[in-house]
Amino acid sequence: MARTLEPLARKIFKGVLAVELFGVFGAYVLFRKMDTSQDFRQTMSKKFPSILEVYYKSIEYSGMYGIRQQDEEKWLNNKS
């Protein structure tokens, strides 16, 4: 019985591993896009503010401060 389940277990493991890698790659791409584009961060603030908050927290945790303030300042000046 164990021999017949082994190929199925390998397929499931490979599928789970592929999903995990895809998720990590997607998170990296999203972070890089937010890190390099203030316009994209503004779009994220309108559509997904919780994700943008995680970005700001991670940047501040790494010791880089002021990005949130720069964004808010620019966005307020653009509205005027």
Side-chain angles (χ1 to χ4, degrees):
M1 181 75 179
R3 298 290 284 159
T4 60
L5 291 179
E6 189 173 309
L8 178 63
R10 284 180 190 239
K11 287 182 182 180
I12 291 172
F13 177 75
K14 287 180 183 179
V16 169
L17 185 61
V19 169
E20 288 278 334
L21 289 174
F22 183 74
V24 168
F25 179 73
Y28 173 76
V29 169
L30 181 64
F31 182 85
R32 285 295 293 166
K33 183 78 171 171
M34 284 194 290
D35 200 36
T36 58
S37 173
Q38 193 173 38
D39 293 331
F40 185 71
R41 287 194 299 270
Q42 186 174 17
T43 302
M44 292 298 288
S45 73
K46 293 175 184 174
K47 293 184 178 182
F48 305 104
S50 60
I51 294 175
L52 185 64
E53 184 64 27
V54 170
Y55 166 77
Y56 286 141
K57 294 272 186 188
S58 66
I59 290 296
E60 291 167 357
Y61 184 74
S62 70
M64 296 172 49
Y65 297 98
I67 293 176
R68 182 191 309 251
Q69 290 78 14
Q70 289 173 358
D71 288 348
E72 290 172 353
E73 186 177 303
K74 181 182 177 191
W75 300 338
L76 285 175
N77 288 339
N78 285 346
K79 285 185 178 179
S80 303

